[in-house]
Amino acid sequence: MNFSIEEIPLNVAVYKPTDDGDFIFVDVNSTLEKSEGITKDALIGKRLTELFPGIEEMGLLQCFRRVNETGEDELLELALYEDKHKTGWKRNNVTKLANGNIAAFYEDVTENNQEVERFEELLEKKTAELESQKKELDKRVIHEIKKNREQEKQMLMQSRLAQMGEMLSMIAHQWRQPLGAIASASANLKLKLMLGSFPLESEASREECSQYFSERLENIEGYVDNLTTTIDDFRNFYKPNKTSVELSLKEVVEKSIQIIGSSLKNNNIKVVQECNSEEIFSIYDSEMIQVVLNILNNAQDNFLEKNIQNSTITIKTNASELSICDNGGGIPEDIIENIFDPYFSTKHEKNGTGLGLYMSKMIVEEHHSGTLQVVNIDGGVCFHINLKGV
Ligand SMILES: Nc1ncnc2c1ncn2[C@@H]1O[C@H](COP(=O)(O)OP(=O)(O)O)[C@@H](O)[C@H]1O
Ligand SMILES: [Mg+2]
């Protein structure tokens, strides 16, 4: 035995178990003597718990007892031995010998373990760094999202302003006719007065005069009513939509035509309406009218720019779909992908904002969970709004 344990390149100690659960040193090899700094003579015959009081805390004493009891080998990976004088990490292999003694083969792995500890420390540091980087990143993401929202608000403002400009030109078109009629009616009345057309001495003539004047004044009132309605239409349109209303697509089209109709007419653009669907949707009306106006305005811009003859816009509703098609030649295939991008515009000399379709898509898709799509057709282009599921 002596001879054999000397050959093992590990610390080896052999113990004899005692009745009271301790272990007496019976043999050790010289590797152990060196590494523990203690001679064999000082060990032999001594109790393990006496010489190594930290052995129970370490868990090795219990391990010895188990091996003694069961006869099964055990490996005690990485256990820390600590007492007043010594401390170190050990890896122990414990086995029961044929003669009933217990042998422990062990090595000091403090250094390896320090390596592991250093690695763990490094890992912890890196994890903490990562954690703080992640927090920083989260903050940045939130910041960016906020910035995006700001930007979106600004875009909305810009597009509203642009729309306001377009709107004013629509109002101008819409007012031209009633204002002209009022001017001519009042000029007419003035002329009659100046010419003294009605000899007021006769009862019949007075009657005629009164009739003539009240007819013209009624006409004027009618035109004034018309002007007032226009203003109301626009005012309602600019009231921000807080809540949605129950509306059919047909009504959306009608309200839009009320606003832009005169302008289209003045530009000789024919509007064909095939709107029969009565299906009701929950709609933010001024926003959805804005979408339809954007599309109609774009069609009009294109007709005027290309000087298209027989310009026609066809508006159809079919169940949940509203389609607006024109015969203005369509959109070049190489830019059709981009028309919904913010600030994309081909109207540089006309100061296009490039926000109309971007906002329209946002309104339809984000505020109404619908879709807005574009397809070129023979001789023109179609925009399809679908409110399926709204
Ligand atoms: N009906 C149409 N026919 C031809 N081109 C169109 C039509 N509608 C939109 N476009 C193109 O899409 C672009 C983007 O439209 P929009 O977002 O409303 O911005 P803007 O009208 O300010 O240019 C237009 O500049 C135009 O090139
Ligand atoms: Mg536009």
Side-chain angles (χ1 to χ4, degrees), residues 321-370:
E321 188 167 75
L322 163 57
S323 307
I324 302 174
C325 304
D326 66 45
N327 61 347
I331 301 173
E333 286 299 334
D334 59 329
I335 64 162
I336 199 161
E337 295 274 301
N338 309 110
I339 61 167
F340 295 107
D341 292 347
Y343 304 114
F344 178 85
S345 176
T346 52
K347 300 167 196 167
H348 302 296
E349 37 321 317
K350 246 202 91 196
N351 286 329
T353 59
L355 288 173
L357 289 177
Y358 170 73
M359 292 309 308
S360 299
K361 200 166 177 76
M362 196 146 87
I363 288 169
V364 175
E365 303 198 342
E366 283 175 31
H367 298 186
H368 292 87
S369 319

Side-chain angles (χ1 to χ4, degrees), residues 114-274:
Q114 273 169 351
E115 195 67 21
V116 170
E117 268 177 1
R118 266 200 296 278
F119 182 72
E120 274 172 357
E121 257 169 42
L122 195 71
L123 198 71
E124 227 167 78
K125 210 172 112 203
K126 289 282 166 204
T127 310
E129 265 175 35
L130 267 177
E131 197 60 37
S132 87
Q133 274 173 8
K134 188 179 158 288
K135 275 201 194 118
E136 193 54 37
L137 210 70
D138 281 352
K139 257 196 250 156
R140 285 231 308 264
V141 168
I142 290 171
H143 177 74
E144 287 299 319
I145 289 175
K146 270 201 196 133
K147 226 168 70 186
N148 262 346
R149 288 220 187 100
E150 274 309 304
Q151 244 169 11
E152 207 163 86
K153 262 197 219 146
Q154 267 178 17
M155 279 181 176
L156 203 84
M157 269 300 276
Q158 264 176 300
S159 103
R160 285 241 138 176
L161 283 177
Q163 191 110 43
M164 202 103 84
E166 282 168 358
M167 221 28 110
L168 280 177
S169 114
M170 286 184 231
I171 295 183
H173 278 296
Q174 198 147 343
W175 277 23
R176 198 169 290 158
Q177 199 250 341
L179 279 180
I182 290 172
S184 99
S186 73
N188 226 320
L189 294 179
K190 221 189 225 162
L191 194 70
K192 291 279 176 200
L193 283 180
M194 266 166 54
L195 296 177
S197 304
F198 300 102
L200 294 176
E201 306 79 56
S202 91
E203 178 68 26
S205 176
R206 277 206 297 277
E207 186 63 30
E208 198 191 334
C209 170
S210 147
Q211 183 136 10
Y212 187 88
F213 268 75
S214 60
E215 258 172 35
R216 299 299 179 283
L217 288 172
E218 238 165 67
N219 280 349
I220 290 177
E221 272 166 18
Y223 291 128
V224 169
D225 264 359
N226 179 301
L227 297 180
T228 313
T229 321
T230 324
I231 283 293
D232 285 346
D233 281 350
F234 286 100
R235 230 205 357 236
N236 286 337
F237 174 72
Y238 274 104
K239 252 194 245 152
N241 251 164
K242 291 255 160 47
T243 52
S244 54
V245 291
E246 305 285 292
L247 218 58
S248 69
L249 288 173
K250 184 180 166 184
E251 286 167 294
V252 172
V253 172
E254 276 164 6
K255 282 169 183 264
S256 310
I257 292 294
Q258 245 162 40
I259 294 175
I260 198 180
S262 313
S263 167
L264 295 173
K265 205 164 163 191
N266 286 337
N267 287 311
N268 284 324
I269 298 165
K270 194 169 141 205
V271 179
V272 178
Q273 281 189 63
E274 294 170 27

Side-chain angles (χ1 to χ4, degrees), residues 15-190:
Y15 313 84
K16 184 180 168 55
T18 66
D19 292 340
D20 58 354
D22 207 340
F23 296 86
I24 308 281
F25 281 95
V26 293
D27 200 2
V28 297
N29 67 357
S30 54
T31 312
L32 184 144
E33 287 183 287
K34 257 183 253 146
S35 72
E36 297 290 353
I38 190 164
T39 62
K40 191 171 169 174
D41 290 343
L43 288 167
I44 303 294
K46 296 279 169 28
R47 281 174 171 261
L48 175 63
T49 54
E50 218 170 89
L51 289 185
F52 295 95
I55 206 77
E56 186 163 3
E57 181 85 1
M58 179 189 187
L60 190 59
L61 184 67
Q62 296 86 323
C63 174
F64 281 5
R65 286 176 183 160
R66 279 196 302 274
V67 173
N68 184 34
E69 196 137 307
T70 63
E72 304 264 341
D73 293 356
E74 269 196 41
L75 171 69
L76 193 65
E77 272 281 4
L78 279 184
L80 179 66
Y81 179 82
E82 245 175 333
D83 65 25
K84 270 184 244 145
H85 315 288
K86 288 184 178 201
T87 171
W89 289 89
K90 315 282 173 185
R91 180 191 288 123
N92 269 274
N93 243 307
V94 185
T95 187
K96 190 167 182 171
L97 302 175
N99 61 6
N101 282 346
I102 299 292
F105 310 83
Y106 69 93
E107 57 189 323
D108 193 299
V109 288
T110 307
E111 231 161 70
N112 297 356
N113 204 46
Q114 273 169 351
E115 195 67 21
V116 170
E117 268 177 1
R118 266 200 296 278
F119 182 72
E120 274 172 357
E121 257 169 42
L122 195 71
L123 198 71
E124 227 167 78
K125 210 172 112 203
K126 289 282 166 204
T127 310
E129 265 175 35
L130 267 177
E131 197 60 37
S132 87
Q133 274 173 8
K134 188 179 158 288
K135 275 201 194 118
E136 193 54 37
L137 210 70
D138 281 352
K139 257 196 250 156
R140 285 231 308 264
V141 168
I142 290 171
H143 177 74
E144 287 299 319
I145 289 175
K146 270 201 196 133
K147 226 168 70 186
N148 262 346
R149 288 220 187 100
E150 274 309 304
Q151 244 169 11
E152 207 163 86
K153 262 197 219 146
Q154 267 178 17
M155 279 181 176
L156 203 84
M157 269 300 276
Q158 264 176 300
S159 103
R160 285 241 138 176
L161 283 177
Q163 191 110 43
M164 202 103 84
E166 282 168 358
M167 221 28 110
L168 280 177
S169 114
M170 286 184 231
I171 295 183
H173 278 296
Q174 198 147 343
W175 277 23
R176 198 169 290 158
Q177 199 250 341
L179 279 180
I182 290 172
S184 99
S186 73
N188 226 320
L189 294 179
K190 221 189 225 162

